[in-house]
Amino acid sequence: MAAKEELYSKIIPRRLRQNRASNAVKQGSHLDVLLSMGFPQSRALKALVSTGGRSVQLACDWLFSHVDDPFLDDPLPREYVLYLRPSGPLQNQLNHFWQQSRLTCGKNKAHNIFPHITLCQFFMCADSKVEALCGALQSSVSQWRGRFPSPLPLELYTSANFIGLFVEEQVAETLKKFAADFAAEAASKADVHVEPHKKQLHVTLAYHFPSSHLASLEKLARGIEVKLGCDWLAVLFSRDIRFANHETLRVMYPYVPQNEDELELVPGDFVFTSSVEQMSTSEGWVYGTSLSTGVSGLLPENYVSRADECDTWVCHGSHSFFSASPSEKSNKESRTLDGLLSIQCLDNSRPGDSSILSVVCQPMQVLRINSHCRTPKRTLFVCRHGERMDVVFGKHWLSQCSDAKGRYVRTNLNMPPFLPAWGGGHRDYDMDAPITVFGAMQARTVGEALLETNTTIDFIYSSPSLRCVQTAHEILKGMQLDGKLRIRVEPALFEWTKWVSGSSLPAWISPTDLAAANLSVDTTYRPHISISKLNVAESYETYMSRSYKVTKEVLADCKNKGGNVLMVGHASSLEACTRQLQGQTLRNSKEFIQIVRKIPYLGMCACEEQDSGVWQLVDPPILPLTHGPNHSFNWRETLQQE
């Protein structure tokens, strides 16, 4: 608390601070300005290094946002690396390959870092030496202008799990000499030890991918015109060494902490997580540290998505070997990448040093393809059901809303007004819970979004679970198709039976009784796989096999009639019904479970049939839907508590 008060006591009124900063920039360095504002030197240096030395204002903002960072005064240095980055036509080609390979085969390890040639190993540099290190790079590049090999000869190489462009050996030795010169300059000017890269120099295109993707990736790689013009840039990056072996996650949705050990989430921020720190967390939650604040805590897992390793790196210098400063044209080229956003470095550096570009790297991301610019293709949509009663109100939820005679009585606004009834009276819902009121709203919202985007659904299938049938019905209502399109109840779409509690499967409501409860169910539909074929505690391989089998049969059956198919199932359905359809091998069961845990209610994926007959995942036509956790509220217990 004392540290926070000390930092706030240093804050100068905004207008005065801006005037002083403006004058000081003309008279001295950014560090001098921060020191004149009263910040301790160690913190001022850390803020400047963490923001790439871009401006006093950014450094101040960083300091204010890191007030509660327990490592604010930690002297641990950052890690640095020197890369050669292409720009111009060759860069466009490489990023086009990046886009197409990600769309065709999904993300592989190469996508974690933008296209580059590694010139040295990661090395550490104290914050006080970073300015000298940047000067060493600028000096080294200046000495090599006119000597850098052009064009840089690159040759395609492929193996079972690696594809790359290798620099011709003799030219590679020349590049290694430049790296050695930089290492000598860094040692002389910044007292930093840099180890030049000794392995073969190359641009990695893809690695650590399934063998089934090799042919597709190799075909895309052969389309790269390696002889195109290119201005190679020597770029210096840094990262926080504490999170070098952590997973990087991007915050997608805001979250306000409801307990002291939870982390506030702001969209656009990044969170670092470690597998070691997840051992004791609750299911559906992860423990992580915010990039923007340095604060750690628990966060809901479905509020974040996996990001690339380099998304949080800081750029400290970018120098061309062919011109004294990167041209405006090359900067524009680097930002127009055939549908990709590349790493962008904005020039806002110290006066008199126009070649130093400094900014936290912007994430590389695939832009949404305009659906109006391509021929419509048949699409399979797979969607998880909506919020379920037994998760919100607990396993014994039914006892909370039953009167003395066992009749259903609504006791919470999020409980449905009534439950479906059928011949034989009320049944035991313990193993087949319905959706909540909010679950129905979620499903209708998704249906309305599909309607707004003019998405066509020609066939709709559902798991026999009541929550799935109800979700499918509400989606149809949102699309204004209830009564016009009938739900085909398919037992094979039920989730992995290993997850069923007890020694038997749920006694699902029959299609006839579902239709009698005013749900849009096709009572004439004959399933591809009957309920009698399902077994309790089936193996992972059996579950994936039946999911793939029924998906293929449904698609084959619907192909003769044309149109898109929507399957409403469980969190596991999104993976189980699409992975093998794309020709991909099964993950192991542990990886599968981790993926399933991250799929929220109404999570949806879209798998599109290609001209070749192969299916591949594409962006769904609608935005994702997130409904945050919400605790039960009792006004009497809360407001009248003494």
mmCIF file of all heavy atoms in Angstrom, residues 400-418:
data_model
loop_
_atom_site.group_PDB
_atom_site.id
_atom_site.type_symbol
_atom_site.label_atom_id
_atom_site.label_comp_id
_atom_site.label_asym_id
_atom_site.label_seq_id
_atom_site.Cartn_x
_atom_site.Cartn_y
_atom_site.Cartn_z
ATOM 1 N N GLN A 400 -35.251 -28.564 -5.341
ATOM 2 C CA GLN A 400 -35.477 -27.159 -5.012
ATOM 3 C C GLN A 400 -36.786 -26.632 -5.604
ATOM 4 O O GLN A 400 -37.272 -25.578 -5.197
ATOM 5 C CB GLN A 400 -34.314 -26.299 -5.524
ATOM 6 C CG GLN A 400 -32.947 -26.661 -4.986
ATOM 7 C CD GLN A 400 -31.854 -25.827 -5.644
ATOM 8 O OE1 GLN A 400 -32.071 -24.660 -5.974
ATOM 9 N NE2 GLN A 400 -30.683 -26.413 -5.836
ATOM 10 N N CYS A 401 -37.304 -27.326 -6.591
ATOM 11 C CA CYS A 401 -38.507 -26.825 -7.260
ATOM 12 C C CYS A 401 -39.586 -27.907 -7.350
ATOM 13 O O CYS A 401 -40.232 -28.074 -8.387
ATOM 14 C CB CYS A 401 -38.162 -26.292 -8.651
ATOM 15 S SG CYS A 401 -37.092 -27.357 -9.616
ATOM 16 N N SER A 402 -39.729 -28.647 -6.266
ATOM 17 C CA SER A 402 -40.789 -29.654 -6.182
ATOM 18 C C SER A 402 -41.586 -29.408 -4.910
ATOM 19 O O SER A 402 -41.017 -29.180 -3.839
ATOM 20 C CB SER A 402 -40.191 -31.070 -6.155
ATOM 21 O OG SER A 402 -39.477 -31.341 -7.342
ATOM 22 N N ASP A 403 -42.913 -29.451 -5.027
ATOM 23 C CA ASP A 403 -43.731 -29.263 -3.832
ATOM 24 C C ASP A 403 -43.883 -30.588 -3.089
ATOM 25 O O ASP A 403 -43.259 -31.605 -3.447
ATOM 26 C CB ASP A 403 -45.088 -28.658 -4.195
ATOM 27 C CG ASP A 403 -45.912 -29.562 -5.105
ATOM 28 O OD1 ASP A 403 -45.552 -30.750 -5.254
ATOM 29 O OD2 ASP A 403 -46.911 -29.085 -5.660
ATOM 30 N N ALA A 404 -44.730 -30.603 -2.044
ATOM 31 C CA ALA A 404 -44.888 -31.787 -1.205
ATOM 32 C C ALA A 404 -45.396 -32.993 -1.985
ATOM 33 O O ALA A 404 -45.139 -34.144 -1.618
ATOM 34 C CB ALA A 404 -45.834 -31.480 -0.047
ATOM 35 N N LYS A 405 -46.113 -32.725 -3.081
ATOM 36 C CA LYS A 405 -46.656 -33.816 -3.889
ATOM 37 C C LYS A 405 -45.750 -34.182 -5.061
ATOM 38 O O LYS A 405 -46.131 -34.976 -5.929
ATOM 39 C CB LYS A 405 -48.045 -33.429 -4.407
ATOM 40 C CG LYS A 405 -49.073 -33.239 -3.297
ATOM 41 C CD LYS A 405 -50.442 -32.914 -3.871
ATOM 42 C CE LYS A 405 -51.476 -32.748 -2.760
ATOM 43 N NZ LYS A 405 -52.830 -32.433 -3.296
ATOM 44 N N GLY A 406 -44.571 -33.584 -5.072
ATOM 45 C CA GLY A 406 -43.626 -33.901 -6.135
ATOM 46 C C GLY A 406 -43.873 -33.167 -7.425
ATOM 47 O O GLY A 406 -43.267 -33.471 -8.452
ATOM 48 N N ARG A 407 -44.738 -32.175 -7.405
ATOM 49 C CA ARG A 407 -45.024 -31.398 -8.616
ATOM 50 C C ARG A 407 -43.982 -30.295 -8.803
ATOM 51 O O ARG A 407 -43.468 -29.751 -7.838
ATOM 52 C CB ARG A 407 -46.428 -30.792 -8.524
ATOM 53 C CG ARG A 407 -47.540 -31.816 -8.539
ATOM 54 C CD ARG A 407 -48.878 -31.182 -8.272
ATOM 55 N NE ARG A 407 -48.929 -30.556 -6.946
ATOM 56 C CZ ARG A 407 -50.038 -30.112 -6.381
ATOM 57 N NH1 ARG A 407 -51.187 -30.215 -7.031
ATOM 58 N NH2 ARG A 407 -50.009 -29.566 -5.177
ATOM 59 N N TYR A 408 -43.697 -29.975 -10.060
ATOM 60 C CA TYR A 408 -42.701 -28.937 -10.374
ATOM 61 C C TYR A 408 -43.242 -27.554 -10.025
ATOM 62 O O TYR A 408 -44.346 -27.179 -10.436
ATOM 63 C CB TYR A 408 -42.328 -28.989 -11.859
ATOM 64 C CG TYR A 408 -41.376 -27.881 -12.284
ATOM 65 C CD1 TYR A 408 -40.025 -27.962 -12.007
ATOM 66 C CD2 TYR A 408 -41.854 -26.751 -12.964
ATOM 67 C CE1 TYR A 408 -39.151 -26.947 -12.396
ATOM 68 C CE2 TYR A 408 -40.997 -25.734 -13.353
ATOM 69 C CZ TYR A 408 -39.641 -25.834 -13.062
ATOM 70 O OH TYR A 408 -38.782 -24.830 -13.437
ATOM 71 N N VAL A 409 -42.471 -26.796 -9.250
ATOM 72 C CA VAL A 409 -42.813 -25.426 -8.881
ATOM 73 C C VAL A 409 -41.582 -24.541 -9.114
ATOM 74 O O VAL A 409 -40.524 -24.784 -8.556
ATOM 75 C CB VAL A 409 -43.239 -25.321 -7.397
ATOM 76 C CG1 VAL A 409 -43.553 -23.864 -7.051
ATOM 77 C CG2 VAL A 409 -44.437 -26.201 -7.117
ATOM 78 N N ARG A 410 -41.742 -23.539 -9.916
ATOM 79 C CA ARG A 410 -40.639 -22.633 -10.226
ATOM 80 C C ARG A 410 -40.278 -21.805 -8.978
ATOM 81 O O ARG A 410 -41.131 -21.165 -8.377
ATOM 82 C CB ARG A 410 -41.066 -21.698 -11.364
ATOM 83 C CG ARG A 410 -39.986 -20.777 -11.882
ATOM 84 C CD ARG A 410 -40.608 -19.813 -12.880
ATOM 85 N NE ARG A 410 -39.634 -19.176 -13.742
ATOM 86 C CZ ARG A 410 -39.928 -18.193 -14.600
ATOM 87 N NH1 ARG A 410 -41.183 -17.743 -14.669
ATOM 88 N NH2 ARG A 410 -38.996 -17.678 -15.361
ATOM 89 N N THR A 411 -38.989 -21.801 -8.582
ATOM 90 C CA THR A 411 -38.555 -21.048 -7.400
ATOM 91 C C THR A 411 -37.492 -20.009 -7.726
ATOM 92 O O THR A 411 -36.959 -19.363 -6.824
ATOM 93 C CB THR A 411 -37.995 -22.008 -6.336
ATOM 94 O OG1 THR A 411 -36.884 -22.742 -6.891
ATOM 95 C CG2 THR A 411 -39.066 -22.967 -5.855
ATOM 96 N N ASN A 412 -37.171 -19.842 -9.006
ATOM 97 C CA ASN A 412 -36.169 -18.868 -9.429
ATOM 98 C C ASN A 412 -36.513 -18.435 -10.845
ATOM 99 O O ASN A 412 -36.963 -19.256 -11.650
ATOM 100 C CB ASN A 412 -34.760 -19.473 -9.368
ATOM 101 C CG ASN A 412 -33.662 -18.450 -9.637
ATOM 102 O OD1 ASN A 412 -33.444 -18.033 -10.764
ATOM 103 N ND2 ASN A 412 -32.955 -18.048 -8.593
ATOM 104 N N LEU A 413 -36.312 -17.161 -11.153
ATOM 105 C CA LEU A 413 -36.669 -16.655 -12.485
ATOM 106 C C LEU A 413 -35.886 -17.324 -13.603
ATOM 107 O O LEU A 413 -36.303 -17.292 -14.766
ATOM 108 C CB LEU A 413 -36.466 -15.138 -12.545
ATOM 109 C CG LEU A 413 -37.477 -14.285 -11.771
ATOM 110 C CD1 LEU A 413 -37.101 -12.809 -11.869
ATOM 111 C CD2 LEU A 413 -38.881 -14.510 -12.324
ATOM 112 N N ASN A 414 -34.742 -17.920 -13.267
ATOM 113 C CA ASN A 414 -33.959 -18.587 -14.307
ATOM 114 C C ASN A 414 -34.399 -20.036 -14.502
ATOM 115 O O ASN A 414 -33.835 -20.750 -15.311
ATOM 116 C CB ASN A 414 -32.464 -18.527 -13.969
ATOM 117 C CG ASN A 414 -31.583 -18.800 -15.170
ATOM 118 O OD1 ASN A 414 -31.996 -18.610 -16.318
ATOM 119 N ND2 ASN A 414 -30.364 -19.256 -14.930
ATOM 120 N N MET A 415 -35.392 -20.471 -13.752
ATOM 121 C CA MET A 415 -35.975 -21.797 -13.958
ATOM 122 C C MET A 415 -37.122 -21.687 -14.955
ATOM 123 O O MET A 415 -37.869 -20.704 -14.920
ATOM 124 C CB MET A 415 -36.495 -22.366 -12.633
ATOM 125 C CG MET A 415 -35.409 -22.687 -11.629
ATOM 126 S SD MET A 415 -36.110 -23.333 -10.088
ATOM 127 C CE MET A 415 -34.616 -23.771 -9.190
ATOM 128 N N PRO A 416 -37.273 -22.670 -15.836
ATOM 129 C CA PRO A 416 -38.382 -22.595 -16.813
ATOM 130 C C PRO A 416 -39.731 -22.613 -16.108
ATOM 131 O O PRO A 416 -39.876 -23.209 -15.038
ATOM 132 C CB PRO A 416 -38.171 -23.847 -17.678
ATOM 133 C CG PRO A 416 -37.340 -24.761 -16.849
ATOM 134 C CD PRO A 416 -36.467 -23.902 -16.002
ATOM 135 N N PRO A 417 -40.742 -21.958 -16.671
ATOM 136 C CA PRO A 417 -42.081 -21.926 -16.048
ATOM 137 C C PRO A 417 -42.679 -23.315 -15.860
ATOM 138 O O PRO A 417 -43.440 -23.549 -14.932
ATOM 139 C CB PRO A 417 -42.911 -21.095 -17.027
ATOM 140 C CG PRO A 417 -41.906 -20.291 -17.798
ATOM 141 C CD PRO A 417 -40.690 -21.162 -17.906
ATOM 142 N N PHE A 418 -42.345 -24.248 -16.753
ATOM 143 C CA PHE A 418 -42.867 -25.611 -16.641
ATOM 144 C C PHE A 418 -41.871 -26.560 -17.302
ATOM 145 O O PHE A 418 -40.989 -26.143 -18.062
ATOM 146 C CB PHE A 418 -44.241 -25.732 -17.316
ATOM 147 C CG PHE A 418 -44.230 -25.326 -18.764
ATOM 148 C CD1 PHE A 418 -43.931 -26.240 -19.763
ATOM 149 C CD2 PHE A 418 -44.521 -24.000 -19.136
ATOM 150 C CE1 PHE A 418 -43.905 -25.862 -21.100
ATOM 151 C CE2 PHE A 418 -44.486 -23.622 -20.477
ATOM 152 C CZ PHE A 418 -44.185 -24.546 -21.452
#
